[in-house]
Amino acid sequence: MAAVPATDSAETLYAAARAWRDDDPDPTTRSELESLLASAESGDEAARADLADRFVGMLEFGTAGLRGALGAGPNRMNRSVVIRAAAGLTAYLKQEGRAGERPCVVIGFDARYNSDVFARDTAGVVVAAGGRALLLPQPLPTPVLAFAIRHLGADAGVMVTASHNPPQDNGYKVYLGDGSQIVPPADADIARHIAAVEHVADVPRAHEGWETLGERLLSDYLDAVVTVVDPSSPRDLSIVHTSLHGVGHGTVHEAFIRAGFAAPVAVDEQAVPDPDFPTVAFPNPEEKGAIDLALARAREVRCDLVIANDPDADRCAAAILDPATGDWRMLRGDEVGALLGAHLVARGVERRDVFANSIVSSRLLAAIARAAGIRHEETLTGFKWISRVEGLRYGYEEALGYCVAPDLVRDKDGVSAALLLAELAAGLKAQGRTLSDLLDDLAAEHGVHATDSFAVRVEDLGQIDTLMGRLRAEPPSSVAGIDVVRLDDLSRGDGGLPPTDGLRFLLSDDSRVIVRPSGTEPKVKVYLEVIEPVHTRDDLSRSRALAETRLASVRADVERLTAL
């Protein structure tokens, strides 16, 4: 069924809404659409605008799969959209697979609203199409699903999750048999199969016949994930952990116990999965205030380290006691990325090993790799790219995603990253040192790499095109008084990367600015980095202060340049 552009007539919009309603297998969203349609037809302009937004187009299937607000209509997450997606994926797998073989899909889900329903719908479509569907036994972290794909020899995996998005959202993340998220051209091929579905009623669905996996899978994942730490390394470490109302609590705690650490101290108010995320404004550890309860708990129990996972536990945040202030501060994703990279180097790397991070992440990891004599690769944003780097030993992106064991999970994994960070902190503690001391070491050796980011949120997606178009048509010749010496238009593939919408400005003092639209939210994201040399260890405080001053100047000017 074709979605109706918002510019079409009211009657065309209403006809499309009626057709979608009549084809909707879910009585809840069918009733929702019926009520909205009645209000719109009676002259309610707000209802008509809402209806038009729901039918502005089909929720786009891309390299992140699907993600959007729950609700009725083609531009929302609902059973009709999910069934179409499952049918398209299964058709793609049958087309790409060997003749006569049943495609096997392993399916996971988190604890968000309708995640279990969407997972069962997917299983029913796969089974009815002659495939084999393996359903995870309970809401579990995304890394468990990513692990299961190769562990079970599946042809694809589906994880029903919206990760760190707001409570009203859900999503549908697709992996292929290599355990990595889909990339072009597979995403476009699957999208074409989805578009070929005329009516949901035409999609065969089984109501039984899939296999619900037992507890053995989670145990296998845990047995595998604890191998990221050295059995002989120190374990004396006290940790506070929060899962932010997501599904990571049980898995993380069991992983720490199996690895020989003391069980983390839980933030009880956030330990039980809750799709409303009642104690946080936004269930993303990056957001201001999200880990306040964890920090308060840390002050009570006087622990060594705070670890936070996002709701599907594929990201890992950390906080440390800052010696400069005597209070806790959250580490930036780039700081954790550098710490883990340095730790892996110290444990031993081989010349064939490769470190990688996304273009929006700090260049400090590249410096660490260079000093260690190993190759470093820069990729587009997202683990769908990072995980595919040939010879990858370690990869990260600044948005709290770390792949520390690509032979186990070819995606970001907040559980294994937490274990590795804890091993590093425990080893430093045994030496009378801290993570803050190691950050000082890295700055003294490679220079202060100060990073920052901000987002320009939009009400109308057209504003994103306007902003990006303006920066392309009238690029600044300088930023904060520093000359722009190179402009990479990433949409043209500048820099040798696959084309993507984004701009990278390199300044004469080695500062860097990257502007790109978000792939999952209505906003433009801006990433900043300055590098300040450190001539002697005694210069470290001065160099940090200079770097922060330069960074603040760059940010102020870029905020002006990106204002709507």
Side-chain angles (χ1 to χ4, degrees), residues 84 131 169 202 312 315 356 431 459 481:
R84 290 167 183 269
D169 288 2
D202 295 337
D312 68 329
R315 301 179 188 223
Q431 302 168 26
E459 296 294 330

Side-chain angles (χ1 to χ4, degrees), residues 539-558:
D539 290 336
L540 185 53
S541 294
R542 178 176 176 274
S543 295
R544 279 216 169 98
L546 286 171
E548 291 302 325
T549 299
R550 290 173 53 202
L551 187 63
S553 295
V554 170
R555 173 165 178 157
D557 204 17
V558 177

Side-chain angles (χ1 to χ4, degrees), residues 516-534:
R516 73 172 188 94
S518 169
T520 57
E521 298 177 76
K523 62 186 181 183
V524 173
K525 301 185 75 173
V526 181
Y527 307 84
L528 315 170
E529 182 179 34
V530 303
I531 303 174
E532 182 66 35
V534 179

Side-chain angles (χ1 to χ4, degrees), residues 72-272:
N75 194 32
R76 298 288 188 271
M77 280 294 298
N78 51 63
R79 293 182 64 197
S80 292
V81 167
V82 165
I83 290 167
R84 290 167 183 269
L89 172 62
T90 307
Y92 167 81
L93 294 174
K94 292 175 75 173
Q95 172 187 286
E96 297 295 312
R98 290 186 289 272
E101 292 194 5
R102 302 169 63 198
C104 177
V105 182
V106 58
I107 305 159
F109 55 100
D110 66 9
R112 285 177 179 266
Y113 288 114
N114 277 351
S115 286
D116 57 340
V117 175
F118 296 160
R120 287 193 297 271
D121 277 336
T122 300
V125 171
V126 172
V127 169
R132 183 184 177 206
L134 309 176
L135 191 65
L136 267 57
Q138 63 198 53
L140 286 169
T142 293
V144 178
L145 181 278
F147 166 82
I149 297 165
R150 287 188 294 169
H151 184 65
L152 300 175
D155 298 297
V158 170
M159 182 68 193
V160 183
T161 179
S163 190
H164 57 282
N165 273 39
Q168 64 267 24
D169 288 2
N170 212 327
Y172 197 83
K173 185 180 288 189
V174 177
Y175 299 77
L176 293 182
D178 63 356
S180 295
Q181 296 178 47
I182 53 170
V183 294
D187 57 341
D189 290 342
I190 295 170
R192 278 193 290 272
H193 284 289
I194 294 172
V197 178
E198 288 289 333
H199 304 286
V200 173
D202 295 337
V203 178
R205 279 185 293 135
H207 299 288
E208 58 183 8
W210 54 82
E211 303 167 48
T212 300
L213 299 168
E215 296 299 325
R216 176 64 182 272
L217 172 66
L218 179 58
S219 185
D220 287 349
Y221 168 77
L222 289 165
D223 286 344
V225 82
V226 297
T227 64
V228 303
V229 294
D230 183 342
S232 63
S233 62
R235 293 291 189 271
D236 179 19
L237 196 72
S238 172
I239 298 168
V240 164
H241 172 256
T242 178
S243 55
L244 292 184
H245 301 293
V247 296
H249 174 80
T251 303
V252 169
H253 279 240
E254 180 63 21
F256 271 81
I257 292 168
R258 289 197 188 196
F261 289 97
V265 176
V267 178
D268 295 330
E269 302 94 323
Q270 298 174 333
V272 177

